[in-house]
Amino acid sequence: MKKKYIKYIISAVVVILIGLFSILIYINLFAGKNDTRFKDKYKYTLSDEEINSIKEKVNELGSVDSVDVYINSKIIKILVKLNEDVKFDTVKAKANEVIPSISEENLSYYDVEFLVDKQDSEIYPQIGYKFKANQEFSW
């Protein structure tokens, strides 16, 4: 009889310990997060003028099929699809010309990604990335 109670007590202690560990893990992983990455994101939006200016600059490349500009988390993404190959140095220069189209306030908050793609090309796809503290794209 005594062995039976000892087994129940040990089982109860194990269940309680598992429960406590589960609660501690949950609290440490999820409940106590102070993630401020997206703090004040609503204050930083791309205006229609900025988007149109970006698209106009990119369209100066010629052979542009489409240009999409949107924000994904803390990155302004510029996706360019080409009809035919354009010299990569020309694309790099044009990407850096796009930077002044974005307000200084937005550039201080967002990183910028410039993706250029063309079907069946040996040159593309290429991705340029500009960290908010940098002055130009890295490829």
Side-chain angles (χ1 to χ4, degrees):
M1 192 75 160
K2 213 175 194 185
K3 288 182 181 180
K4 199 177 205 183
Y5 287 119
I6 292 172
K7 286 182 184 178
Y8 287 135
I9 290 171
I10 291 173
S11 298
V13 168
V14 168
V15 169
I16 290 171
L17 287 175
I18 290 173
L20 285 173
F21 284 128
S22 298
I23 290 169
L24 289 173
I25 289 171
Y26 175 79
I27 289 172
N28 285 326
L29 289 179
F30 303 109
K33 260 193 173 175
N34 288 329
D35 190 4
T36 59
R37 280 186 326 147
F38 300 119
K39 183 179 179 187
D40 298 333
K41 183 178 178 192
Y42 66 92
K43 293 180 183 178
Y44 303 93
T45 58
L46 282 176
S47 67
D48 290 339
E49 293 91 25
E50 288 173 304
I51 293 171
N52 291 334
S53 178
I54 291 168
K55 288 181 177 182
E56 286 175 17
K57 279 285 183 197
V58 171
N59 281 322
E60 290 174 4
L61 281 171
S63 304
V64 175
D65 186 34
S66 66
V67 180
D68 293 319
V69 180
Y70 64 94
I71 294 175
N72 184 3
S73 65
K74 283 187 69 174
I75 302 172
I76 297 172
K77 294 197 175 220
I78 304 168
L79 286 91
V80 180
K81 292 187 181 177
L82 299 174
N83 291 328
E84 56 188 51
D85 282 340
V86 176
K87 290 182 181 179
F88 184 53
D89 288 336
T90 306
V91 170
K92 287 174 24 177
K94 189 56 69 178
N96 287 323
E97 289 178 23
V98 164
I99 295 171
S101 301
I102 304 169
S103 71
E104 289 295 323
E105 187 176 70
N106 283 337
L107 286 173
S108 69
Y109 186 78
Y110 292 107
D111 295 343
V112 183
E113 183 178 273
F114 198 95
L115 171 69
V116 183
D117 194 14
K118 184 199 171 295
Q119 293 290 339
D120 303 322
S121 173
E122 292 182 16
I123 303 171
Y124 301 105
Q126 296 284 345
I127 298 175
Y129 196 82
K130 183 196 146 326
F131 179 66
K132 61 185 170 188
N134 293 352
Q135 298 301 312
E136 59 184 36
F137 285 93
S138 299
W139 295 86

